[in-house]
Amino acid sequence: STRKDMEGLRNSMYNSWVKDIQEKGYLDWLVYGECRADNAYGGNPGTGELMAIEANKQDGENKNVDRDWDWYLGQVSKCNNIICNIDRILAADNTMTQKEHDQWLAEAYCWRSWNLFQMSQLWGDIPLVNTIPPAITADNIEEVYGEYFPARAPIADVYAQIISDLEFATKHAPEVDSANKFLFTKAFAHGMLARVYAEKTARNWSKVAEHCAAVEAMGYKLVDD
């Protein structure tokens, strides 16, 4: 209910992924792509979950899928705690500045977009969770059930939201800070947009070039080799 609360949510969003992103946000995502592309294979009977993914026979009982699905949507939920409350807190607490509001919202948009993009690459159509569901009771279960168990949205709708959120972030996210590479900056937003526009769902090569040029203008370059 206060600016201090919101700052805590913003910092918590950054801290929440440090422990698990190596496995759930990177290594699993990499291995899934490699085994489905026939670049890697399950080497022993203990990799049944990966062998099912390799054979395109994954389901909701696959423990790898289950843990990653929950992790990604858990990160989306942390972003939504900011996105769904920050306007109200700006209006209620005059110690929050408009610049803080815009920056913290942009950072939440960046991280939510990254998670939705990763999920869409793994599973295609995914739920777009943009609300914080109210407490569920016997009286309102039919009304709020869809918020607790949302249907998948078409991937085109997912990309449209990602693009809209990241465009806001290109204007309001923090500037690049060479002393803190963990910030979701304007360069991060431009880099994500370049990746999104390279996918066939939203393919636009001129947009890819535009956002790559924006990243380069902020001091980044490709490695020499």
Side-chain angles (χ1 to χ4, degrees):
S1 59
T2 67
R3 176 202 173 278
K4 185 176 181 180
D5 293 335
M6 182 54 60
E7 185 177 24
L9 287 175
R10 179 261 188 183
N11 293 340
S12 176
M13 177 186 70
Y14 277 102
N15 294 332
S16 67
W17 54 264
V18 173
K19 179 181 178 182
D20 291 331
I21 193 172
Q22 185 71 8
E23 177 188 50
K24 299 179 177 68
Y26 178 67
L27 291 177
D28 277 352
W29 177 82
L30 180 65
V31 169
Y32 296 165
E34 291 295 283
C35 71
R36 290 173 76 181
D38 273 352
N39 293 332
Y41 299 93
N44 64 71
T47 60
E49 290 78 17
L50 288 179
M51 294 173 75
I53 292 170
E54 175 188 328
N56 284 318
K57 294 180 179 179
Q58 58 181 308
D59 57 33
E61 293 185 352
N62 186 307
K63 68 180 183 181
N64 289 35
V65 174
D66 181 62
R67 77 183 182 203
D68 292 344
W69 183 275
D70 284 353
W71 184 80
Y72 281 118
L73 286 180
Q75 295 301 318
V76 168
S77 179
K78 292 180 189 299
C79 297
N80 285 342
N81 281 334
I82 298 171
I83 295 164
C84 296
N85 287 301
I86 197 166
D87 289 351
R88 176 178 55 79
I89 294 177
L90 176 67
D93 188 339
N94 60 15
T95 64
M96 178 186 286
T97 67
Q98 186 69 48
K99 182 177 181 181
E100 287 173 334
H101 167 278
D102 294 349
Q103 177 180 318
W104 295 347
L105 181 58
E107 289 169 293
Y109 278 157
C110 282
W111 185 227
R112 186 173 72 174
S113 294
W114 185 89
N115 282 278
L116 293 176
F117 183 68
Q118 293 276 102
M119 289 186 74
S120 71
Q121 290 199 311
L122 289 173
W123 297 299
D125 297 347
I126 57 171
L128 275 180
V129 182
N130 295 321
T131 63
I132 301 173
I136 192 167
T137 68
D139 294 328
N140 70 0
I141 186 170
E142 292 187 3
E143 178 183 343
V144 304
Y145 184 87
E147 292 187 61
Y148 277 89
F149 301 98
R152 294 186 179 205
I155 193 170
D157 293 349
V158 177
Y159 275 43
Q161 176 174 302
I162 290 173
I163 290 169
S164 175
D165 290 351
L166 289 174
E167 285 178 345
F168 179 91
T170 61
K171 299 178 178 67
H172 301 290
E175 301 293 340
V176 172
D177 181 355
S178 60
N180 185 356
K181 298 296 181 68
F182 290 93
L183 286 176
F184 299 125
T185 64
K186 291 181 173 70
F188 179 96
H190 281 293
M192 279 297 305
L193 281 168
R195 292 178 64 185
V196 171
Y197 279 120
E199 295 291 322
K200 64 181 180 181
T201 300
R203 183 156 295 164
N204 185 325
W205 294 121
S206 64
K207 288 286 188 180
V208 174
E210 173 189 333
H211 290 291
C212 285
V215 173
E216 292 175 325
M218 295 178 187
Y220 292 94
K221 62 181 180 180
L222 298 176
V223 295
D224 293 334
D225 186 350

